[in-house]
Amino acid sequence: MATDIVLSVAGLAKSFGGLKAVQGVDFEVEKGAIVGLIGPNGAGKTTTFNMIAGELPPSAGKIILLGEDITGQRTDMLYHKGLMRTFQLSHEYARMTALENLAVAAPDQTGEAIFASWFAGGKVRAREAEVLDLARDTLEFLGLTHVADELAGNLSGGQKKLLEIGRTMMNDSKVVLLDEPGAGVNPTLMRKVAEMIEQLNQERGYTFCIIEHDMDMIARLCGKVVVLAEGKVLMEGTMDEVRNDERVIDAYFGGEVV
């Protein structure tokens, strides 16, 4: 039986002038999996995410999402195909409330079309009501109902990370790229973030690919881990296999990578 691959990266490369940031990266993400992407600083992890998410054009290679070649497609196009990503530094709309931050992330908002806002006011209002109901349900799921009317810029780091996860829920994303969801988050909220990722994966079937420096979080969440070093895939396997691989230890702690 063929494996159900939702995201495939083959020969992915990116150069900035003479700097080869990513050099022929290959990996696959199965439907319903949580895959970790780890490596020392400068290994090419975020550059790889940026190419997958359409923020950087690859110098070479292919990216396949749900059987479609999406190489070089724009971020907004990928959003409508169900590919979402979060950032190490949260990108909330600081002067909008938490509820409004979620509402603007919903697709297919009739009021965005000027003629619909003029001539189909009933449909616009009905869709707005649906979006607000979904946003409130999402805040409840995340445990953030108490900050619904708080400006997003006033939220804690962990609350902002949960809000970013909530925005992926507003689009019912097929594949979510999480860039360091634990960065800048206190231990209590980090556990909450991990719980939300697990719930979305187990109860709603979300597929995740996660960059994270906290190895305990990776061990908790990820069935497969891909290790990058110097822009290349060093190895992939379970977290136990990764922790016991001498090449990984060398890459992290300064030995020679062989």
Side-chain angles (χ1 to χ4, degrees):
M1 181 176 176
T3 305
D4 196 354
I5 303 297
V6 294
L7 178 66
S8 175
V9 172
L12 202 62
K14 183 64 180 179
S15 297
F16 300 95
L19 173 64
K20 295 181 179 180
V22 176
Q23 306 180 58
V25 164
D26 302 279
F27 65 87
E28 294 178 333
V29 178
E30 297 178 17
K31 183 178 181 180
I34 305 179
V35 174
L37 189 62
I38 69 171
N41 290 332
K45 305 182 297 295
T46 295
T47 301
T48 297
F49 260 25
N50 286 341
M51 287 188 284
I52 296 171
E55 294 171 51
L56 280 177
S59 302
K62 283 189 176 183
I63 305 161
I64 308 296
L65 175 70
L66 301 170
E68 178 186 352
D69 188 342
I70 61 165
T71 310
Q73 291 190 14
R74 300 190 314 269
T75 301
D76 60 313
M77 297 172 65
L78 299 178
Y79 169 81
H80 291 290
K81 297 178 190 294
L83 178 69
M84 292 278 287
R85 66 89 46 98
T86 68
F87 296 86
Q88 180 179 352
L89 298 176
S90 300
H91 285 197
E92 76 282 353
Y93 299 109
R95 295 179 179 274
M96 299 173 67
T97 68
L99 181 68
E100 290 167 341
N101 265 261
L102 294 182
V104 298
D108 304 322
Q109 300 205 41
T110 316
E112 292 177 351
I114 189 167
F115 289 106
S117 64
W118 287 349
F119 302 113
K123 289 184 179 180
V124 171
R125 287 189 293 274
R127 178 57 179 158
E128 285 178 348
E130 289 176 1
V131 167
L132 287 173
D133 285 344
L134 177 58
R136 292 188 185 98
D137 290 344
T138 301
L139 286 174
E140 184 175 0
F141 178 86
L142 297 170
L144 293 177
T145 53
H146 61 294
V147 296
D149 297 320
E150 182 67 62
L151 293 180
N154 295 336
L155 302 183
S156 71
Q159 290 170 334
K160 290 177 181 179
K161 291 297 177 72
L162 288 170
L163 196 64
E164 284 212 321
I165 292 173
R167 287 208 293 258
T168 73
M169 295 170 61
M170 295 298 294
N171 191 35
D172 193 24
S173 304
K174 304 298 185 294
V175 180
V176 181
L177 310 177
L178 298 177
D179 193 347
E180 297 202 42
V185 178
N186 69 51
T188 300
L189 274 174
M190 183 180 286
R191 287 192 292 272
K192 179 69 172 177
V193 170
E195 287 171 8
M196 291 300 97
I197 294 168
E198 286 176 326
Q199 277 190 262
L200 287 170
N201 174 253
Q202 295 168 10
E203 297 176 10
R204 304 195 183 192
Y206 277 40
T207 301
F208 291 97
C209 187
I210 303 176
I211 294 174
E212 182 54 62
H213 284 290
D214 187 301
M215 293 299 100
D216 290 337
M217 190 175 196
I218 289 289
R220 171 178 175 170
L221 294 174
C222 302
K224 181 173 81 171
V225 181
V226 179
V227 185
L228 296 187
E230 299 179 350
K232 301 175 183 178
V233 174
L234 185 61
M235 63 92 65
E236 64 177 61
T238 66
M239 195 60 201
D240 285 341
E241 291 169 338
V242 167
R243 280 175 164 157
N244 292 299
D245 193 294
E246 290 187 5
R247 296 167 299 174
V248 177
I249 296 169
D250 287 342
Y252 269 98
F253 297 108
E256 182 181 356
V257 179
V258 294

